[in-house]
Amino acid sequence: MSSQAYYVPAQSRWPILASVSLFLMAYGAATLINALSAESGGMLGLVLLLLGALCMGLIMVGWFGHVIDESGQGLYSDQMDRSFRWGMSWFIFSEIMFFAAFFGTLFYVRVLAVPWLGGEGEKGVSNMLWQGFEATWPLMTTPDMNAFPGPEGLIDPLHLPLINTLLLLSSSVTVTVAHYRLKQDRRSQVILWLLLTVVLGCAFLLFQVLEYVEAYHELGLTLQAGIYGATFFILTGFHGMHVTLGTLMLFIILLRVIRGHFAPDHHFGFEAVSWYWHFVDVVWVGLFLFVYLL
Amino acid sequence: MGSLEQTVHSTDHHGPAKGITRWLYTTNHKDIGTLYLLFSLTMFFVGGCMALTIRAELFQPGLQLIMPEFFNQMTTMHGLIMVFGAVMPAFVGLANWMIPMMVGSPDMALPRMNNWSFWILPFAFVMMLSTLLMEGGAPNFGWTFYAPLSTTYAPPSVTYFIFAVHMMGISSIMGAINVIATILNMRAPGMKLMDMPLFVWTWLITAFLLIAVMPVLAGVVTMMLMDIHFGTSFFDAAGGGDPVLFQHVFWFFGHPEVYIMILPAFGIVSEIIPTFARKRLFGYTSMVYATGSIAILSFIVWAHHMFTVGLPLAGELFFMYTTMLIAVPTGVKVFNWVATMFRGSMTFETPMLFSLAFVVLFTIGGFSGLMLAIAPADFQYHDTYFVVAHFHYVLVPGSIFSIMAAAYYWLPKWTGHMYNEAMGKLHFWLSFIGVNITFFPMHFLGLAGMPRRIPDYALQFADFNMVATFGAFLFGFSQLIFVYNVISCARSGKKATARVWEGSHGLEWTLPSPPPYHSFTEPPVFTNPHRENS
Ligand SMILES: [Cu+2]
């Protein structure tokens, strides 16, 4: 590192374009959501949102493609590699904190807020608001059943969620196997194991969709079903979005392996995605324990 | 797409591009630092105009100029703009300019992402300010946007506010990741962590705080969005949720956030005082550990903002004692600054004046914070002007003064010209007097029971309010001197040397003033003269 000159990229159009797209997405989303709530129009918001998302997708392809090009030309030193590693690690840390906010919410309502509403504990005086309300978890009968009709049934944790747990845990194994095969430069094996990981991810998502359909149509477990439904859907929903993104990234990595990218000793793109996948997996274990099982 | 023109730049020293594309496409830490600083200055004046609107209304009791609805929008937007638009971007701008030069690298670790972090901000604030023109008006629920005021009773523009906050969060997180990667990975060979200048150290810890708590802010506004538009009941007890939960999550972000706005200030002052006292910083190691302790403690004090919402007694006590504990590392810092000056050969150039005012006035703000930390006493102070006085003392003569000090301290390095010292001193004294006239009477108003966020007040508060408004206009208009001084310094002035200040130390002063477009294209050799076992 001592005698090496630094690499500094030249000017780039991607970031400013990405800012414009992000703005279109955010403005579009806000306009759309407001229109939906007011039940009037929504076209403008939808168009802006989709336009922004489309541009953002294209920009990501271009920007990452550009980085891959530069890496392929050998412009990146070990130091650059380390910067990417720090960047990805701290990004995952920020994601952990994002989920921590929702887990914290879940624990707060389970351990403190709902029991207080039911008259237990030091702040049980809040039971005066809805006298006769009884605290249970999962909360099937909400304090105000007209405004927030509680769920009629719950997801059986030992059915779809258990299958999903096994699917995600084994997908963490398969992606690790793929990584080892990549280090041994056995490309066809890498493709096989990566493909298996993508299939497992897709299967997880499919089951998650089935579970949501069941929740909405058979169990009355909805976003409006009081605090259990709210915490259930925000945690599993954001996790599902992360699995979707992770599966998409794994798929892109798979395409890149097929195209002959990645060397046995130089494949940070691969590692970053596998880190992300393990993170998504760990979050699921927390979900399975605290949302479904306990 | 255009990848080949950007291949080999590791050796050629290309300068800035021409025209507007220099600023739109830039990957240069100095350009991006300048953009951040100019953006921050603009927002400082936008938020400042809102503050003066508030103070003008409060000049006399009774409704004089604006309607209460608009007054609420002004207090809300003033707070949000000053926190997210003025103070935070200013520190990020300083980090961009100074960290690569201080650690001996050519640029930030991830230069393209750096550009993206900045350019999200103007769009986010266009969106935020556009709410002023929307039906139902801008957000009017205070900068802390407590539920249910910000959910059930919010104007429709709250949706835009939520997405603007998301954009600011993305910007901050990426900026912070860049700072950490630069500090951990781009230091000159030989520079150990404990050799780093304190500004770099404080920013390393600040960046950690940003990455830890901005996602929590994103989480809380997302739950708001769900409650408003999708029928969830996170903050509604009718569904089993709890409005107090909002405050817990918000302040879990909010308290570390106030340290995000003060730790870099500690770093700046720790750079400037040794220079003008012509002595080494007293207690470097303890400064580093104190900063770390403050950061860790900041995660377990949040409910001191919520003493009156009805916490269990154990909670009141826990958060009272942990909050008081923060006074220990902060006291270490103040002691070290004073000890650095003790028997130093001090001179009082503008950056030093601002730093000295920082030490004194920030300490006043710290003490009033300590008063607020006493849970039983807080039942009296809560939501009064005493709180307003407290946080303005730590943010205006705290954060803002440190930013001013930093600007004067490094302007000659950035522009290659000395600023006008007489004008700088005039700016300092008017600001110093203005700030104290504005905010000191607010302590008395608060202790006498004047509530915050109200456009009208009882007659017995009239005198102090009049004084405060006078001070606010004095402070506000004296900032124009700063703008004039910066512009004239950028254009012309006495040539600055590389060292600029007689007592300055560190890698940034080994570069010429102004420094080359890429700070260090070859890693400089770094040796710490003070390290014993090197
Ligand atoms: Cu606090």
Side-chain angles (χ1 to χ4, degrees), chain A residues 117-119 126-135 141-143:
Chain A
L117 270 177
S126 40
N127 190 238
M128 282 197 306
L129 288 168
W130 285 276
Q131 284 164 25
F133 167 72
E134 276 184 47
T141 310
T142 62

mmCIF file of all heavy atoms in Angstrom, chain A residues 117-119 126-135 141-143:
data_model
loop_
_atom_site.group_PDB
_atom_site.id
_atom_site.type_symbol
_atom_site.label_atom_id
_atom_site.label_comp_id
_atom_site.label_asym_id
_atom_site.label_seq_id
_atom_site.Cartn_x
_atom_site.Cartn_y
_atom_site.Cartn_z
ATOM 1 N N LEU A 117 -52.594 -1.227 29.231
ATOM 2 C CA LEU A 117 -53.973 -0.987 28.805
ATOM 3 C C LEU A 117 -54.929 -1.962 29.484
ATOM 4 O O LEU A 117 -56.085 -1.633 29.752
ATOM 5 C CB LEU A 117 -54.093 -1.155 27.288
ATOM 6 C CG LEU A 117 -53.874 0.073 26.416
ATOM 7 C CD1 LEU A 117 -53.965 -0.317 24.950
ATOM 8 C CD2 LEU A 117 -54.900 1.146 26.722
ATOM 9 N N GLY A 118 -54.410 -3.169 29.771
ATOM 10 C CA GLY A 118 -55.228 -4.166 30.435
ATOM 11 C C GLY A 118 -55.279 -4.005 31.942
ATOM 12 O O GLY A 118 -55.857 -4.832 32.638
ATOM 13 N N GLY A 119 -54.637 -2.966 32.460
ATOM 14 C CA GLY A 119 -54.716 -2.688 33.885
ATOM 15 C C GLY A 119 -53.583 -3.262 34.709
ATOM 16 O O GLY A 119 -53.551 -3.110 35.923
ATOM 17 N N SER A 126 -54.113 3.204 32.816
ATOM 18 C CA SER A 126 -54.654 3.484 31.478
ATOM 19 C C SER A 126 -55.818 2.565 31.143
ATOM 20 O O SER A 126 -56.499 2.773 30.146
ATOM 21 C CB SER A 126 -53.554 3.404 30.409
ATOM 22 O OG SER A 126 -52.692 2.347 30.665
ATOM 23 N N ASN A 127 -56.072 1.562 31.975
ATOM 24 C CA ASN A 127 -57.256 0.725 31.768
ATOM 25 C C ASN A 127 -58.550 1.524 31.870
ATOM 26 O O ASN A 127 -59.592 1.114 31.361
ATOM 27 C CB ASN A 127 -57.266 -0.423 32.780
ATOM 28 C CG ASN A 127 -58.330 -1.460 32.449
ATOM 29 O OD1 ASN A 127 -59.200 -1.747 33.251
ATOM 30 N ND2 ASN A 127 -58.271 -1.996 31.243
ATOM 31 N N MET A 128 -58.477 2.699 32.506
ATOM 32 C CA MET A 128 -59.664 3.555 32.600
ATOM 33 C C MET A 128 -60.202 3.918 31.225
ATOM 34 O O MET A 128 -61.373 4.219 31.071
ATOM 35 C CB MET A 128 -59.305 4.851 33.333
ATOM 36 C CG MET A 128 -59.215 4.670 34.831
ATOM 37 S SD MET A 128 -59.287 6.236 35.685
ATOM 38 C CE MET A 128 -57.983 7.161 34.898
ATOM 39 N N LEU A 129 -59.306 3.942 30.201
ATOM 40 C CA LEU A 129 -59.738 4.338 28.861
ATOM 41 C C LEU A 129 -60.764 3.363 28.306
ATOM 42 O O LEU A 129 -61.766 3.756 27.735
ATOM 43 C CB LEU A 129 -58.521 4.395 27.930
ATOM 44 C CG LEU A 129 -57.544 5.537 28.142
ATOM 45 C CD1 LEU A 129 -56.282 5.287 27.351
ATOM 46 C CD2 LEU A 129 -58.178 6.846 27.712
ATOM 47 N N TRP A 130 -60.465 2.063 28.442
ATOM 48 C CA TRP A 130 -61.391 1.034 27.956
ATOM 49 C C TRP A 130 -61.570 0.031 29.083
ATOM 50 O O TRP A 130 -60.862 -0.966 29.151
ATOM 51 C CB TRP A 130 -60.838 0.339 26.711
ATOM 52 C CG TRP A 130 -60.947 1.199 25.497
ATOM 53 C CD1 TRP A 130 -62.032 1.340 24.703
ATOM 54 C CD2 TRP A 130 -59.936 2.037 24.936
ATOM 55 N NE1 TRP A 130 -61.779 2.224 23.684
ATOM 56 C CE2 TRP A 130 -60.493 2.662 23.811
ATOM 57 C CE3 TRP A 130 -58.614 2.342 25.283
ATOM 58 C CZ2 TRP A 130 -59.786 3.556 23.017
ATOM 59 C CZ3 TRP A 130 -57.904 3.226 24.499
ATOM 60 C CH2 TRP A 130 -58.499 3.829 23.380
ATOM 61 N N GLN A 131 -62.490 0.332 29.992
ATOM 62 C CA GLN A 131 -62.659 -0.533 31.144
ATOM 63 C C GLN A 131 -63.156 -1.901 30.688
ATOM 64 O O GLN A 131 -63.991 -2.004 29.805
ATOM 65 C CB GLN A 131 -63.626 0.109 32.128
ATOM 66 C CG GLN A 131 -62.932 1.232 32.883
ATOM 67 C CD GLN A 131 -63.898 2.161 33.574
ATOM 68 O OE1 GLN A 131 -65.009 1.769 33.886
ATOM 69 N NE2 GLN A 131 -63.461 3.388 33.790
ATOM 70 N N GLY A 132 -62.598 -2.918 31.295
ATOM 71 C CA GLY A 132 -62.983 -4.270 30.917
ATOM 72 C C GLY A 132 -62.102 -4.861 29.831
ATOM 73 O O GLY A 132 -62.194 -6.042 29.542
ATOM 74 N N PHE A 133 -61.240 -4.013 29.240
ATOM 75 C CA PHE A 133 -60.327 -4.545 28.223
ATOM 76 C C PHE A 133 -59.313 -5.471 28.889
ATOM 77 O O PHE A 133 -58.747 -5.144 29.930
ATOM 78 C CB PHE A 133 -59.601 -3.400 27.521
ATOM 79 C CG PHE A 133 -58.429 -3.863 26.697
ATOM 80 C CD1 PHE A 133 -58.628 -4.553 25.502
ATOM 81 C CD2 PHE A 133 -57.124 -3.633 27.130
ATOM 82 C CE1 PHE A 133 -57.545 -4.992 24.755
ATOM 83 C CE2 PHE A 133 -56.047 -4.073 26.384
ATOM 84 C CZ PHE A 133 -56.251 -4.747 25.199
ATOM 85 N N GLU A 134 -59.127 -6.630 28.288
ATOM 86 C CA GLU A 134 -58.163 -7.573 28.847
ATOM 87 C C GLU A 134 -56.973 -7.722 27.927
ATOM 88 O O GLU A 134 -57.129 -7.893 26.719
ATOM 89 C CB GLU A 134 -58.823 -8.928 29.062
ATOM 90 C CG GLU A 134 -59.559 -8.985 30.389
ATOM 91 C CD GLU A 134 -60.119 -10.361 30.647
ATOM 92 O OE1 GLU A 134 -59.364 -11.344 30.463
ATOM 93 O OE2 GLU A 134 -61.296 -10.442 31.019
ATOM 94 N N ALA A 135 -55.788 -7.653 28.531
ATOM 95 C CA ALA A 135 -54.559 -7.735 27.738
ATOM 96 C C ALA A 135 -54.226 -9.191 27.456
ATOM 97 O O ALA A 135 -54.160 -10.006 28.363
ATOM 98 C CB ALA A 135 -53.409 -7.080 28.500
ATOM 99 N N THR A 141 -58.542 -9.370 20.807
ATOM 100 C CA THR A 141 -59.629 -8.421 21.033
ATOM 101 C C THR A 141 -59.014 -7.069 21.356
ATOM 102 O O THR A 141 -58.400 -6.897 22.400
ATOM 103 C CB THR A 141 -60.502 -8.889 22.207
ATOM 104 O OG1 THR A 141 -60.855 -10.249 21.984
ATOM 105 C CG2 THR A 141 -61.749 -8.046 22.317
ATOM 106 N N THR A 142 -59.147 -6.122 20.447
ATOM 107 C CA THR A 142 -58.539 -4.803 20.657
ATOM 108 C C THR A 142 -59.429 -3.983 21.579
ATOM 109 O O THR A 142 -60.607 -4.299 21.758
ATOM 110 C CB THR A 142 -58.381 -4.065 19.315
ATOM 111 O OG1 THR A 142 -59.673 -3.877 18.761
ATOM 112 C CG2 THR A 142 -57.526 -4.860 18.354
ATOM 113 N N PRO A 143 -58.893 -2.913 22.141
ATOM 114 C CA PRO A 143 -59.730 -2.076 23.010
ATOM 115 C C PRO A 143 -60.969 -1.564 22.290
ATOM 116 O O PRO A 143 -62.047 -1.543 22.865
ATOM 117 C CB PRO A 143 -58.790 -0.928 23.400
ATOM 118 C CG PRO A 143 -57.427 -1.510 23.310
ATOM 119 C CD PRO A 143 -57.488 -2.491 22.176
#
